[in-house]
Amino acid sequence: MYARGLNRQANASMAAQTKREIADRIKEAGKRARDEADARRKAEKAVPQPKELGGQKGPEPTRYGDWEKNGLISDF
């Protein structure tokens, strides 16, 4: 009986240690992923957009989810 209780305690201790190790590995992997993403963003160059010909004057008319032309509004 005593051996059984001791074995359960050992298993519980090992399970807690294993969960801790898994959590640590997940945190390390997340940190590596963030660092890699930051490095890619820094290495990325901005692609210049061509000028629109014959488009609306002023700010982008679709930025609020609707289109306004000559005072008439149409929602998407």
Side-chain angles (χ1 to χ4, degrees):
M1 195 75 164
Y2 176 73
R4 222 185 254 172
L6 186 61
N7 195 15
R8 285 183 187 159
Q9 289 175 350
N11 285 342
S13 174
M14 287 174 53
Q17 183 180 7
T18 304
K19 287 182 182 180
R20 209 172 314 126
E21 290 171 354
I22 291 170
D24 289 342
R25 283 188 278 164
I26 290 172
K27 286 179 186 176
E28 290 171 10
K31 185 178 181 323
R32 280 195 313 270
R34 277 192 308 273
D35 292 343
E36 290 172 9
D38 289 340
R40 279 195 306 272
R41 286 186 196 110
K42 287 179 184 176
E44 216 173 68
K45 294 182 181 175
V47 178
Q49 297 293 322
K51 271 226 175 253
E52 183 176 1
L53 301 175
Q56 292 274 344
K57 304 272 190 262
E60 177 64 32
T62 60
R63 64 186 165 163
Y64 298 113
D66 56 8
W67 185 278
E68 182 269 329
K69 184 169 174 117
N70 297 333
L72 300 173
I73 296 176
S74 63
D75 292 333
F76 299 127

